[in-house]
């Protein structure tokens, strides 16, 4: 493995920890002695690795037999990935059709640590130079996707988000929690959110909620473009198309 893995280096520890997970995935369960033998390390080293993984919920102990198996922490990590992969896979063709229909850039965002994490983007045919938002985390209160994600949050989580100071990006950013909350009520009533010049001047966006099998809002889909094209007159028509797209993605994710 080269010099980076001289004895006890962090890289070697990570490598060994992953190997422990692979052993347990293959064997179903294994004791410290077996794990140590497979890794070619002392039992004390194997025990330290397994304990570290156990502390993070990635490995669990089978108390009666003293053997270890994979823990539910693995499912939590895998679940986050599969949910996002499913979302991107299922939404991509629908978003491509929407981009063609409205001629604007389409984005999908999910909630991540109190921000809108952009997980996929389809550029519209009329986009001059499209910034790639994928992988970016943007403020919930200043983006249409973010407002949708806020609008359907559980009340105590929403209160937490609104209690933080809201950053001002332009003169139009909603930084007053009371005004923002009123807009979230509107969002729920009409089924879509808008931002006009709130994240940056000249940018307008419209977003609608995506629901999963349980009917919970798991993502938002938005169309965004220059404010001179997405005029107040055109927004309702684009919003209708975005809502249809969000509903179709929801159906693909199993929502009724």
């Amino acid at each position: 493995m080269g010099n980076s893995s001289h004895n006890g280096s962090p890289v070697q520890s990570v490598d060994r920890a992953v190997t422990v997970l692979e052993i347990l995935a293959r064997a179903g369960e294994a004791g410290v002695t077996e794990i140590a033998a497979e890794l070619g390390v002392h039992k004390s080293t194997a025990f330290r690795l397994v304990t570290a993984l156990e502390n993070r919920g990635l490995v669990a102990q089978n108390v009666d037999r003293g053997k270890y198996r994979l823990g539910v922490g693995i499912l939590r990590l895998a679940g986050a990935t599969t949910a996002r992969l499913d979302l991107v896979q299922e939404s991509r063709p629908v978003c491509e059709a929407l981009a063609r229909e409205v001629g604007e850039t389409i984005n999908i965002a999910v909630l991540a640590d109190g921000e809108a994490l952009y997980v996929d983007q389809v550029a519209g045919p009329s986009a001059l130079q499209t910034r790639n938002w994928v992988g970016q985390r943007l403020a919930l209160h200043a983006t249409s996707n973010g407002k949708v994600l806020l609008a359907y949050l559980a009340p105590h989580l929403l209160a937490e988000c609104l209690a933080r100071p809201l950053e001002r990006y332009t003169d139009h950013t909603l930084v007053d929690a009371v005004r923002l909350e009123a807009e979230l009520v509107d969002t729920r009533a009409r089924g879509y959110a808008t931002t006009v010049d709130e994240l940056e001047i000249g940018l307008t966006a419209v977003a609608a909620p995506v629901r999963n099998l349980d009917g919970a809002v798991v993502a938002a889909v938005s169309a965004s473009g220059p404010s001179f094209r997405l005029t107040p007159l055109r927004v309702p028509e684009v919003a209708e198309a975005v809502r249809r797209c969000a509903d179709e993605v929801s159906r693909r994710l199993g929502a009724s």
Side-chain angles (χ1 to χ4, degrees), residues 16-25 28-32 35 46-62 66-77:
R16 284 174 171 171
V18 172
T19 308
V20 171
L21 297 176
E22 286 172 344
I23 292 167
L24 296 179
E29 56 174 35
V32 173
I35 292 170
F47 184 73
R48 274 204 310 275
L49 284 167
V50 172
T51 307
L53 291 166
E54 189 179 17
N55 290 340
R56 303 304 294 265
L58 298 175
V59 162
Q61 198 170 7
N62 205 329
K67 297 205 168 200
Y68 291 89
R69 55 187 159 73
L70 293 179
V72 289
I74 293 280
L75 291 176
R76 195 182 62 245
L77 296 176

Side-chain angles (χ1 to χ4, degrees), residues 12-228:
Q12 188 181 43
S13 303
V14 171
D15 194 67
R16 284 174 171 171
V18 172
T19 308
V20 171
L21 297 176
E22 286 172 344
I23 292 167
L24 296 179
R26 191 177 67 236
E29 56 174 35
V32 173
T33 313
E34 298 158 68
I35 292 170
E38 279 221 42
L39 286 174
V41 298
H42 288 294
K43 269 179 74 168
S44 60
T45 303
F47 184 73
R48 274 204 310 275
L49 284 167
V50 172
T51 307
L53 291 166
E54 189 179 17
N55 290 340
R56 303 304 294 265
L58 298 175
V59 162
Q61 198 170 7
N62 205 329
V63 182
D64 21 312
R65 290 200 293 286
K67 297 205 168 200
Y68 291 89
R69 55 187 159 73
L70 293 179
V72 289
I74 293 280
L75 291 176
R76 195 182 62 245
L77 296 176
T81 316
T82 26
R84 266 176 212 168
L85 285 175
D86 282 355
L87 173 65
V88 171
Q89 261 175 324
E90 297 298 343
S91 63
R92 178 61 71 81
V94 190
C95 290
E96 284 172 349
L98 178 64
R100 285 193 299 273
E101 182 186 345
V102 299
E104 305 297 348
T105 297
I106 310 305
N107 278 292
I108 292 248
V110 297
L111 191 64
D113 306 324
E115 292 175 301
L117 169 65
Y118 282 63
V119 293
D120 200 22
Q121 174 171 310
V122 177
S126 42
L128 300 167
Q129 75 318 332
T130 307
R131 180 163 359 151
N132 191 353
W133 298 100
V134 177
Q136 303 245 20
R137 291 164 181 263
L138 299 178
L140 293 171
H141 67 287
T143 56
S144 62
N145 277 324
K147 285 183 191 175
V148 165
L149 295 169
L150 276 176
Y152 296 94
L153 266 186
H156 69 284
L157 294 174
L158 176 59
E160 260 177 52
C161 286
L162 295 181
R164 298 182 205 139
L166 301 173
E167 192 178 334
R168 183 182 287 288
Y169 295 92
T170 74
D171 290 346
H172 303 275
T173 311
L174 279 181
V175 291
D176 176 59
V178 178
R179 279 186 58 203
L180 178 59
E181 218 164 348
E183 197 163 309
L184 298 179
V185 172
D186 283 351
T187 296
R188 287 190 291 271
R190 65 190 181 187
Y192 67 89
T194 60
T195 48
V196 182
D197 302 338
E198 290 163 55
L199 182 66
E200 51 186 63
I201 297 293
L203 183 70
T204 292
V206 190
V210 171
R211 296 172 188 274
N212 67 4
L213 185 62
D214 308 323
V217 172
V218 288
V221 59
S222 67
S224 59
S227 301
F228 69 81

